[in-house]
Amino acid sequence: MRKFLFAAAAALLIAGPAAAETVAIVNARIETVGKAGSIPSGTLVIKDGRIAAVGADVKVPEGARIVDAQGGVVTPGLISPSTNLTVTEVDLIKETRDDGSGTQLSAGFDISYGINPASALIPLARQGGVTRVVVTPTLTGGGDGEDQEEGGSADAGLLQGGGGGGKGDPRLFAGQAAIVSLDASDTDPLVKARVAVALDLGQAGAANAGGSRGASLVLVRAALQDARDFNNNRAAYDRGATRDFGLSRVDLEALVPVVQGRIPLLIRVHRASDIRQALKLASDEKIKIIIEGAEEGWLVAADLAAAGVPVIIDTEADLPDQFETLGSRLDNAARLQAAGVLVVIAGSRDFNNLRQARFNAGMSVPYGMTWQQALAAVTLNPAKAWGMADRVGSLEVGKEADVVIWSGDPLDTQSWPTAVFIGGTQQPMTSRAQQLRDRYAKPDNGYPVQYR
């Protein structure tokens, strides 16, 4: 035990100064995604966890540790705008899922309590250049979640954010999202909890409300009014002197910041007409929203731009696999961008495929976006959408040093990070899969032949 405690203390002493050290990344093509734009050959200095200098003529500070990018590309860390990383290990084993599916809570479910900083899947995301993620809850089924099979979901498709209309009262909201850092040295990676309340509309929302889009919107509007009335009459509520509300106190409390305009609703919606309904909901209720999905967003691009609503999209969604995505097309991102919409590009929500976002960003370029717009859509734009652009998302002096060095074009499938810094701390570039490979690959390591 003493040896263990000594080793742990030593590890802390070693890890402690890492974020405080001064690092100079030299010989780099720097894509700042900021006012400085592209720097063909320059130096970026990290000091005390923040960007201290960036430019073509920056001098290396005395005593700085030098990291030679060898002509590689340096970018801000990628930000995954909506994922279940850190709260799900195996999709089809419900015991490993803390994403909110099956819970009886509605808006009150707080996903931040289930975050697992020791998830074996975090290193995979870091290896893809992802430094921060927005962890969002999943709404699978309604009420008591009895539509799930033992060990998984009755319909794997429901895991991607759509209801099931199960037994019990309709569960309108999926719960509250959180922002998480992927820093390997941080045992408490939560950056900010309760940054939004997730809501499914369209086909999934209809299922959660018993089968009708109209019913889901009526219930959502009623819930928002309940939250206002609850907040304005808390003393009466505590005395039992108010009318009956459709949600529990926990759920009403969670919706108060939404109706006050302090946090947005993350609305998952796909069809053009449903997007218009979401925009009308936001206008009527005077609330902030972020749209996720929006396969038919290009049809209402002008409306989205006029409302100033950020849109999270998968640029590879071009097949009409549902009636509400008949208008899907590969230039959706470019058309939204051209209209003035803040476009955020995502990949799969799945924890094990976050690298797909940068490939999706690359895919958007031949379909109309510029390369710089595509890079911004996986770095600065998600930071803007989620209210952290003052801290991360671009390589500018004073911002937290979430920095990635790439072997080549970061939007190219053949390029990979050679180094990742989060908050100025250089991250390990190994994963459990690699460790297992190395452990059992050598024939002279003393393991039985079955493990070789």
Side-chain angles (χ1 to χ4, degrees):
M1 176 62 75
R2 288 181 180 178
K3 288 183 178 180
F4 173 79
L5 292 174
F6 177 80
L12 287 173
L13 288 173
I14 293 171
E21 72 172 340
T22 300
V23 177
I25 301 172
V26 302
N27 189 22
R29 172 187 146 196
I30 304 173
E31 298 292 342
T32 68
V33 200
K35 293 180 180 179
S38 300
I39 302 170
S41 181
T43 297
L44 184 144
V45 177
I46 299 171
K47 184 177 181 180
D48 297 332
R50 295 184 178 273
I51 298 171
V54 58
D57 301 318
V58 171
K59 293 183 179 180
V60 176
E62 185 177 349
R65 178 166 69 89
I66 296 176
V67 177
D68 189 351
Q70 300 181 354
V73 182
V74 174
T75 72
L78 308 188
I79 300 171
S80 179
S82 181
T83 180
N84 57 8
L85 181 72
T86 73
V87 293
T88 297
E89 296 297 312
V90 182
D91 254 347
L92 296 181
I93 298 180
K94 66 180 181 180
E95 290 81 5
T96 72
R97 294 175 57 200
D98 284 311
D99 56 3
S101 54
T103 180
Q104 293 186 16
L105 285 172
S106 183
F109 169 68
D110 188 343
I111 205 165
S112 68
Y113 292 123
I115 290 168
N116 176 21
S119 170
L121 301 163
I122 292 176
L124 288 175
R126 281 199 303 263
Q127 286 180 330
V130 179
T131 57
R132 298 197 183 210
V133 298
V134 182
V135 187
T136 56
T138 297
L139 184 51
T140 304
D144 55 14
E146 289 183 2
D147 57 325
Q148 292 188 344
E149 294 176 348
E150 183 68 21
S153 168
D155 182 352
L158 299 181
L159 300 179
Q160 299 304 319
K167 299 176 182 178
D169 293 333
R171 185 178 156 222
L172 297 173
F173 302 92
Q176 301 167 88
I179 300 172
V180 175
S181 167
L182 301 190
D183 185 353
S185 66
D186 197 343
T187 57
D188 183 11
L190 179 66
V191 174
K192 189 175 183 180
R194 299 175 289 281
V195 296
V197 173
L199 168 69
D200 290 287
L201 289 181
Q203 182 174 306
N208 293 324
S212 168
R213 282 173 163 82
S216 68
L217 282 163
V218 168
L219 291 170
V220 167
R221 288 173 180 270
L224 296 176
Q225 185 57 52
D226 282 355
R228 289 190 185 91
D229 291 348
F230 161 77
N231 189 52
N232 292 333
N233 300 278
R234 287 174 179 263
Y237 181 92
D238 291 339
R239 297 194 307 271
T242 61
R243 63 178 176 80
D244 291 336
F245 293 127
L247 296 174
S248 69
R249 180 177 190 131
V250 172
D251 294 326
L252 292 168
E253 290 274 14
L255 287 175
V256 168
V258 173
V259 298
Q260 290 179 337
R262 291 189 285 121
I263 65 171
L265 277 182
L266 173 65
I267 301 181
R268 296 170 181 144
V269 67
H270 311 279
R271 197 171 75 180
S273 62
D274 293 329
I275 296 172
R276 290 192 185 97
Q277 288 292 346
L279 293 175
K280 190 174 188 307
L281 174 72
S283 177
D284 291 348
E285 301 291 336
K286 296 179 175 54
I287 59 173
K288 299 177 183 176
I289 65 171
I290 298 172
I291 296 290
E292 180 179 3
E295 285 83 353
E296 292 190 352
W298 62 276
L299 288 167
V300 290
D303 298 322
L304 287 163
V309 172
V311 177
I312 302 171
I313 63 171
D314 178 351
T315 60
E316 287 192 325
D318 67 327
L319 296 176
D321 57 350
Q322 302 179 73
F323 281 109
E324 61 181 356
T325 59
L326 293 176
S328 302
R329 53 189 297 159
L330 286 169
D331 61 354
N332 188 22
R335 287 170 174 259
L336 288 166
Q337 179 79 38
V341 177
L342 182 69
V343 177
V344 178
I345 293 178
S348 168
R349 266 180 51 82
D350 287 347
F351 47 81
N352 62 352
N353 201 23
L354 297 192
R355 63 188 181 277
Q356 187 66 39
R358 69 184 179 98
F359 302 152
N360 286 354
M363 176 70 74
S364 71
V365 175
Y367 287 94
M369 290 188 87
T370 68
W371 188 91
Q372 288 76 16
Q373 289 171 344
L375 180 61
V378 290
T379 53
L380 183 57
N381 290 4
K384 287 180 176 179
W386 287 109
M388 48 181 167
D390 59 331
R391 300 174 62 183
V392 293
S394 62
L395 303 179
E396 299 177 276
V397 173
K399 286 194 174 184
E400 295 176 27
D402 286 10
V403 181
V404 182
I405 305 174
W406 302 86
S407 61
D409 184 343
L411 306 187
D412 190 309
T413 59
Q414 298 185 60
S415 299
W416 291 93
T418 59
V420 175
F421 294 81
I422 301 179
T425 300
Q426 189 163 356
Q427 302 296 305
M429 296 300 289
T430 58
S431 66
R432 178 170 172 78
Q434 290 174 317
Q435 292 167 346
L436 289 172
R437 176 202 65 190
D438 296 342
R439 179 179 182 182
Y440 297 121
K442 299 177 181 178
D444 58 349
N445 60 9
Y447 288 100
V449 68
Q450 294 94 321
Y451 294 100
R452 295 180 188 175

